[in-house]
Short mmCIF file of all heavy atoms in Angstrom, two decimals:
data_model
loop_
_atom_site.label_atom_id
_atom_site.label_comp_id
_atom_site.label_asym_id
_atom_site.label_seq_id
_atom_site.Cartn_x
_atom_site.Cartn_y
_atom_site.Cartn_z
N MET A 1396 0.84 -1.23 0.00
CA MET A 1396 0.01 0.02 0.08
C MET A 1396 0.85 1.37 -0.02
O MET A 1396 1.78 1.32 0.92
CB MET A 1396 -0.93 0.00 1.23
CG MET A 1396 -1.96 1.01 1.23
SD MET A 1396 -3.04 0.92 2.77
CE MET A 1396 -4.32 -0.20 2.24
N ASN A 1397 0.67 2.07 -1.00
CA ASN A 1397 1.43 3.37 -1.02
C ASN A 1397 0.98 4.45 -0.19
O ASN A 1397 -0.14 4.43 0.42
CB ASN A 1397 1.70 3.76 -2.39
CG ASN A 1397 0.47 4.19 -3.08
OD1 ASN A 1397 -0.45 4.62 -2.45
ND2 ASN A 1397 0.41 4.10 -4.46
N ASN A 1398 1.68 5.49 -0.13
CA ASN A 1398 1.33 6.59 0.86
C ASN A 1398 -0.01 7.18 0.43
O ASN A 1398 -0.90 7.51 1.28
CB ASN A 1398 2.36 7.80 0.83
CG ASN A 1398 3.53 7.30 1.60
OD1 ASN A 1398 3.52 6.30 2.33
ND2 ASN A 1398 4.61 8.15 1.52
N ALA A 1399 -0.36 7.28 -0.89
CA ALA A 1399 -1.62 8.00 -1.28
C ALA A 1399 -2.77 7.15 -0.88
O ALA A 1399 -3.77 7.62 -0.43
CB ALA A 1399 -1.58 8.09 -2.77
N GLU A 1400 -2.59 5.75 -0.95
CA GLU A 1400 -3.68 4.85 -0.57
C GLU A 1400 -3.80 5.01 0.96
O GLU A 1400 -5.05 4.90 1.38
CB GLU A 1400 -3.33 3.36 -0.91
CG GLU A 1400 -3.38 3.15 -2.39
CD GLU A 1400 -2.83 1.83 -2.73
OE1 GLU A 1400 -1.89 1.31 -2.11
OE2 GLU A 1400 -3.38 1.25 -3.86
N LEU A 1401 -2.86 5.04 1.67
CA LEU A 1401 -2.96 5.31 3.17
C LEU A 1401 -3.70 6.51 3.57
O LEU A 1401 -4.55 6.46 4.36
CB LEU A 1401 -1.61 5.28 3.82
CG LEU A 1401 -0.90 3.97 4.01
CD1 LEU A 1401 0.54 4.17 4.59
CD2 LEU A 1401 -1.70 3.03 5.03
N VAL A 1402 -3.34 7.60 2.80
CA VAL A 1402 -4.03 8.84 3.16
C VAL A 1402 -5.50 8.76 2.83
O VAL A 1402 -6.32 9.23 3.63
CB VAL A 1402 -3.42 9.99 2.26
CG1 VAL A 1402 -4.19 11.20 2.33
CG2 VAL A 1402 -1.91 10.28 2.81
N TRP A 1403 -5.87 8.23 1.66
CA TRP A 1403 -7.24 8.06 1.30
C TRP A 1403 -7.98 7.15 2.33
O TRP A 1403 -9.26 7.43 2.76
CB TRP A 1403 -7.46 7.48 -0.10
CG TRP A 1403 -7.45 8.51 -1.07
CD1 TRP A 1403 -6.53 8.82 -2.11
CD2 TRP A 1403 -8.38 9.64 -1.13
NE1 TRP A 1403 -6.79 9.92 -2.81
CE2 TRP A 1403 -8.06 10.46 -2.36
CE3 TRP A 1403 -9.50 9.99 -0.57
CZ2 TRP A 1403 -8.78 11.64 -2.63
CZ3 TRP A 1403 -10.17 11.13 -0.80
CH2 TRP A 1403 -9.78 11.92 -1.95
N ARG A 1404 -7.39 6.15 2.87
CA ARG A 1404 -7.96 5.29 3.77
C ARG A 1404 -8.20 6.02 5.12
O ARG A 1404 -9.33 5.93 5.76
CB ARG A 1404 -6.97 4.11 4.14
CG ARG A 1404 -7.50 3.01 4.97
CD ARG A 1404 -8.65 2.33 4.15
NE ARG A 1404 -9.28 1.38 5.14
CZ ARG A 1404 -10.54 1.39 5.49
NH1 ARG A 1404 -11.37 2.37 4.92
NH2 ARG A 1404 -11.11 0.59 6.33
N LEU A 1405 -7.23 6.90 5.48
CA LEU A 1405 -7.44 7.74 6.70
C LEU A 1405 -8.62 8.66 6.52
O LEU A 1405 -9.44 8.86 7.34
CB LEU A 1405 -6.23 8.40 7.03
CG LEU A 1405 -5.09 7.64 7.72
CD1 LEU A 1405 -3.80 8.50 7.75
CD2 LEU A 1405 -5.51 7.18 9.05
N VAL A 1406 -8.69 9.32 5.45
CA VAL A 1406 -9.69 10.20 5.12
C VAL A 1406 -11.07 9.63 5.11
O VAL A 1406 -12.08 10.02 5.74
CB VAL A 1406 -9.49 10.87 3.67
CG1 VAL A 1406 -10.82 11.74 3.23
CG2 VAL A 1406 -8.30 11.76 3.72
N GLU A 1407 -11.18 8.36 4.48
CA GLU A 1407 -12.49 7.68 4.56
C GLU A 1407 -12.88 7.24 5.90
O GLU A 1407 -14.01 7.39 6.33
CB GLU A 1407 -12.33 6.32 3.75
CG GLU A 1407 -12.28 6.62 2.27
CD GLU A 1407 -12.03 5.31 1.38
OE1 GLU A 1407 -11.61 4.41 2.09
OE2 GLU A 1407 -12.05 5.37 0.15
N LEU A 1408 -11.93 6.93 6.81
CA LEU A 1408 -12.17 6.50 8.18
C LEU A 1408 -12.74 7.73 8.95
O LEU A 1408 -13.60 7.66 9.74
CB LEU A 1408 -10.95 5.98 8.94
CG LEU A 1408 -10.61 4.50 8.45
CD1 LEU A 1408 -9.27 4.12 8.96
CD2 LEU A 1408 -11.59 3.51 8.90
N LEU A 1409 -12.08 8.76 8.82
CA LEU A 1409 -12.37 10.02 9.47
C LEU A 1409 -13.84 10.51 9.02
O LEU A 1409 -14.70 10.92 9.86
CB LEU A 1409 -11.42 11.21 9.24
CG LEU A 1409 -10.06 11.04 9.84
CD1 LEU A 1409 -9.01 12.06 9.34
CD2 LEU A 1409 -10.25 11.16 11.32
N LEU A 1410 -14.03 10.42 7.73
CA LEU A 1410 -15.39 10.79 7.25
C LEU A 1410 -16.49 9.90 7.85
O LEU A 1410 -17.64 10.31 8.28
CB LEU A 1410 -15.44 10.79 5.63
CG LEU A 1410 -14.68 11.94 5.03
CD1 LEU A 1410 -14.77 11.71 3.52
CD2 LEU A 1410 -15.41 13.30 5.42
N GLN A 1411 -16.19 8.62 7.91
CA GLN A 1411 -17.13 7.66 8.42
C GLN A 1411 -17.46 7.97 9.89
O GLN A 1411 -18.51 7.89 10.36
CB GLN A 1411 -16.61 6.28 8.28
CG GLN A 1411 -17.58 5.16 8.79
CD GLN A 1411 -18.92 5.22 7.97
OE1 GLN A 1411 -18.95 5.15 6.72
NE2 GLN A 1411 -20.03 5.28 8.69
N LYS A 1412 -16.39 8.29 10.62
CA LYS A 1412 -16.50 8.55 12.10
C LYS A 1412 -17.31 9.79 12.26
O LYS A 1412 -18.24 9.76 13.13
CB LYS A 1412 -15.04 8.71 12.66
CG LYS A 1412 -15.09 9.00 14.14
CD LYS A 1412 -13.67 9.07 14.76
CE LYS A 1412 -13.64 9.02 16.23
NZ LYS A 1412 -12.43 9.26 16.72
N GLU A 1413 -17.08 10.72 11.45
CA GLU A 1413 -17.82 11.98 11.55
C GLU A 1413 -19.31 11.79 11.32
O GLU A 1413 -20.17 12.27 11.90
CB GLU A 1413 -17.26 13.10 10.56
CG GLU A 1413 -17.80 14.46 10.74
CD GLU A 1413 -17.13 15.55 9.90
OE1 GLU A 1413 -15.91 15.33 9.62
OE2 GLU A 1413 -17.92 16.45 9.54
N LYS A 1414 -19.59 10.94 10.27
CA LYS A 1414 -21.01 10.61 9.92
C LYS A 1414 -21.61 9.89 11.09
O LYS A 1414 -22.85 10.23 11.31
CB LYS A 1414 -20.92 9.75 8.70
CG LYS A 1414 -22.10 9.85 7.68
CD LYS A 1414 -21.90 9.16 6.42
CE LYS A 1414 -22.40 7.76 6.53
NZ LYS A 1414 -22.36 7.00 5.32
N ASP A 1415 -20.92 9.00 11.67
CA ASP A 1415 -21.52 8.30 12.87
C ASP A 1415 -21.76 9.23 13.93
O ASP A 1415 -22.85 9.16 14.50
CB ASP A 1415 -20.50 7.23 13.37
CG ASP A 1415 -20.34 6.05 12.23
OD1 ASP A 1415 -21.22 6.02 11.39
OD2 ASP A 1415 -19.34 5.26 12.40
N LEU A 1416 -20.86 10.11 14.21
CA LEU A 1416 -21.11 11.07 15.25
C LEU A 1416 -22.24 11.94 14.98
O LEU A 1416 -23.10 12.28 15.89
CB LEU A 1416 -19.84 12.03 15.50
CG LEU A 1416 -18.64 11.31 16.18
CD1 LEU A 1416 -17.47 12.15 16.12
CD2 LEU A 1416 -19.04 10.82 17.61
N ASN A 1417 -22.38 12.37 13.76
CA ASN A 1417 -23.63 13.27 13.28
C ASN A 1417 -24.88 12.50 13.49
O ASN A 1417 -25.84 12.98 13.99
CB ASN A 1417 -23.48 13.71 11.85
CG ASN A 1417 -22.32 14.75 11.71
OD1 ASN A 1417 -22.03 15.37 12.64
ND2 ASN A 1417 -21.95 14.95 10.46
N GLN A 1418 -24.81 11.20 13.19
CA GLN A 1418 -26.10 10.34 13.38
C GLN A 1418 -26.46 10.28 14.90
O GLN A 1418 -27.56 10.34 15.26
CB GLN A 1418 -25.88 8.89 12.80
CG GLN A 1418 -27.10 8.18 12.68
CD GLN A 1418 -28.18 8.84 11.83
OE1 GLN A 1418 -27.91 9.17 10.71
NE2 GLN A 1418 -29.36 8.98 12.47
N VAL A 1419 -25.42 10.14 15.72
CA VAL A 1419 -25.66 10.02 17.16
C VAL A 1419 -26.33 11.29 17.58
O VAL A 1419 -27.30 11.35 18.34
CB VAL A 1419 -24.39 9.68 17.93
CG1 VAL A 1419 -24.54 9.96 19.40
CG2 VAL A 1419 -23.88 8.23 17.68
N ALA A 1420 -25.75 12.46 17.17
CA ALA A 1420 -26.25 13.70 17.52
C ALA A 1420 -27.69 13.95 17.10
O ALA A 1420 -28.54 14.45 17.80
CB ALA A 1420 -25.34 14.87 16.98
N LEU A 1421 -27.96 13.43 15.89
CA LEU A 1421 -29.30 13.61 15.40
C LEU A 1421 -30.35 12.69 16.13
O LEU A 1421 -31.38 13.28 16.52
CB LEU A 1421 -29.42 13.09 13.86
CG LEU A 1421 -29.03 14.01 12.84
CD1 LEU A 1421 -29.01 13.40 11.51
CD2 LEU A 1421 -29.93 15.33 12.91
N ASP A 1422 -29.93 11.50 16.48
CA ASP A 1422 -30.77 10.67 17.30
C ASP A 1422 -31.03 11.22 18.71
O ASP A 1422 -32.12 11.23 19.19
CB ASP A 1422 -30.14 9.29 17.54
CG ASP A 1422 -30.06 8.48 16.13
OD1 ASP A 1422 -30.78 8.88 15.25
OD2 ASP A 1422 -29.25 7.61 16.17
N GLN A 1423 -29.95 11.74 19.30
CA GLN A 1423 -30.19 12.47 20.54
C GLN A 1423 -31.12 13.58 20.50
O GLN A 1423 -31.93 13.88 21.37
CB GLN A 1423 -28.80 12.90 21.19
CG GLN A 1423 -27.93 11.75 21.65
CD GLN A 1423 -26.61 12.22 22.03
OE1 GLN A 1423 -26.08 13.29 21.81
NE2 GLN A 1423 -25.88 11.35 22.91
N ALA A 1424 -30.90 14.53 19.40
CA ALA A 1424 -31.89 15.61 19.25
C ALA A 1424 -33.30 15.13 19.05
O ALA A 1424 -34.19 15.73 19.65
CB ALA A 1424 -31.44 16.42 18.03
N LYS A 1425 -33.41 14.13 18.32
CA LYS A 1425 -34.87 13.50 18.21
C LYS A 1425 -35.44 13.10 19.50
O LYS A 1425 -36.61 13.40 19.80
CB LYS A 1425 -34.86 12.37 17.17
CG LYS A 1425 -34.75 12.75 15.81
CD LYS A 1425 -34.76 11.53 14.85
CE LYS A 1425 -34.32 11.98 13.43
NZ LYS A 1425 -34.03 10.74 12.64
N ASN A 1426 -34.69 12.40 20.27
CA ASN A 1426 -35.15 11.92 21.62
C ASN A 1426 -35.33 13.04 22.41
O ASN A 1426 -36.35 13.16 23.24
CB ASN A 1426 -34.07 11.10 22.27
CG ASN A 1426 -33.91 9.71 21.55
OD1 ASN A 1426 -34.82 9.31 20.84
ND2 ASN A 1426 -32.83 8.96 21.69
N ASN A 1427 -34.53 14.08 22.50
CA ASN A 1427 -34.77 15.32 23.45
C ASN A 1427 -36.13 16.08 22.83
O ASN A 1427 -36.98 16.37 23.70
CB ASN A 1427 -33.70 16.36 23.21
CG ASN A 1427 -32.40 15.84 23.89
OD1 ASN A 1427 -32.51 14.90 24.63
ND2 ASN A 1427 -31.21 16.41 23.61
N THR A 1428 -36.42 15.98 21.55
CA THR A 1428 -37.60 16.65 21.06
C THR A 1428 -38.84 15.82 21.59
O THR A 1428 -39.82 16.42 22.05
CB THR A 1428 -37.60 16.71 19.56
OG1 THR A 1428 -36.36 17.42 19.15
CG2 THR A 1428 -38.88 17.40 18.98
N LYS A 1429 -38.75 14.44 21.52
CA LYS A 1429 -39.89 13.69 22.01
C LYS A 1429 -40.12 13.97 23.44
O LYS A 1429 -41.23 14.09 23.83
CB LYS A 1429 -39.53 12.21 21.79
CG LYS A 1429 -39.64 11.64 20.41
CD LYS A 1429 -39.33 10.15 20.30
CE LYS A 1429 -39.11 9.86 18.85
NZ LYS A 1429 -38.43 8.48 18.80
N LEU A 1430 -39.05 13.97 24.29
CA LEU A 1430 -39.21 14.25 25.67
C LEU A 1430 -39.91 15.65 25.88
O LEU A 1430 -40.71 15.70 26.82
CB LEU A 1430 -37.77 14.21 26.38
CG LEU A 1430 -37.27 12.77 26.50
CD1 LEU A 1430 -35.80 12.95 27.10
CD2 LEU A 1430 -38.12 11.94 27.28
N ASP A 1431 -39.47 16.60 25.22
CA ASP A 1431 -40.07 17.92 25.31
C ASP A 1431 -41.54 17.93 24.96
O ASP A 1431 -42.30 18.53 25.62
CB ASP A 1431 -39.28 18.99 24.49
CG ASP A 1431 -38.01 19.31 25.01
OD1 ASP A 1431 -37.73 18.95 26.11
OD2 ASP A 1431 -37.11 19.83 24.20
N ASP A 1432 -41.91 17.27 23.94
CA ASP A 1432 -43.30 17.14 23.52
C ASP A 1432 -44.13 16.37 24.65
O ASP A 1432 -45.21 16.83 24.93
CB ASP A 1432 -43.45 16.28 22.23
CG ASP A 1432 -42.89 17.02 21.04
OD1 ASP A 1432 -42.74 18.25 21.09
OD2 ASP A 1432 -42.71 16.34 19.96
N GLN A 1433 -43.61 15.33 25.21
CA GLN A 1433 -44.29 14.68 26.30
C GLN A 1433 -44.43 15.61 27.51
O GLN A 1433 -45.51 15.66 28.04
CB GLN A 1433 -43.37 13.50 26.71
CG GLN A 1433 -43.60 12.32 25.76
CD GLN A 1433 -42.58 11.11 26.13
OE1 GLN A 1433 -41.84 11.21 27.06
NE2 GLN A 1433 -42.67 10.03 25.38
N LYS A 1434 -43.41 16.41 27.88
CA LYS A 1434 -43.67 17.30 28.97
C LYS A 1434 -44.62 18.38 28.61
O LYS A 1434 -45.48 18.68 29.49
CB LYS A 1434 -42.21 18.08 29.23
CG LYS A 1434 -41.20 17.06 29.83
CD LYS A 1434 -39.93 17.94 30.08
CE LYS A 1434 -38.84 16.99 30.45
NZ LYS A 1434 -37.40 17.60 30.42
N GLN A 1435 -44.77 18.91 27.44
CA GLN A 1435 -45.66 19.90 27.07
C GLN A 1435 -47.08 19.24 27.12
O GLN A 1435 -48.06 20.01 27.53
CB GLN A 1435 -45.44 20.52 25.71
CG GLN A 1435 -44.26 21.36 25.74
CD GLN A 1435 -43.93 21.92 24.21
OE1 GLN A 1435 -44.52 21.54 23.38
NE2 GLN A 1435 -42.94 22.77 24.22
N ASN A 1436 -47.26 18.06 26.66
CA ASN A 1436 -48.59 17.36 26.76
C ASN A 1436 -49.02 17.19 28.04
O ASN A 1436 -50.27 17.16 28.33
CB ASN A 1436 -48.48 16.09 25.95
CG ASN A 1436 -48.32 16.24 24.47
OD1 ASN A 1436 -48.58 17.39 23.90
ND2 ASN A 1436 -47.77 15.19 23.75
N GLU A 1437 -48.09 16.92 29.09
CA GLU A 1437 -48.56 16.68 30.45
C GLU A 1437 -49.07 18.01 31.12
O GLU A 1437 -49.87 17.90 32.02
CB GLU A 1437 -47.43 16.17 31.16
CG GLU A 1437 -47.07 14.64 30.82
CD GLU A 1437 -45.73 14.19 31.56
OE1 GLU A 1437 -45.10 14.91 32.21
OE2 GLU A 1437 -45.27 13.12 31.16
N VAL A 1438 -48.59 19.07 30.69
CA VAL A 1438 -48.88 20.35 31.38
C VAL A 1438 -50.25 20.80 31.07
O VAL A 1438 -50.82 20.49 30.01
CB VAL A 1438 -47.94 21.48 30.87
CG1 VAL A 1438 -48.39 22.93 31.39
CG2 VAL A 1438 -46.57 21.25 31.29
#
């Protein structure tokens, strides 16, 4: 594996990690929204 291939592999891994983190953040935001809706409904 040459240097260019290694660099691209690292870039792909970083992008995948960022995508995963974004998905986690989205899921948390959705859950927070659901909780807020439940609280408003109870009031």
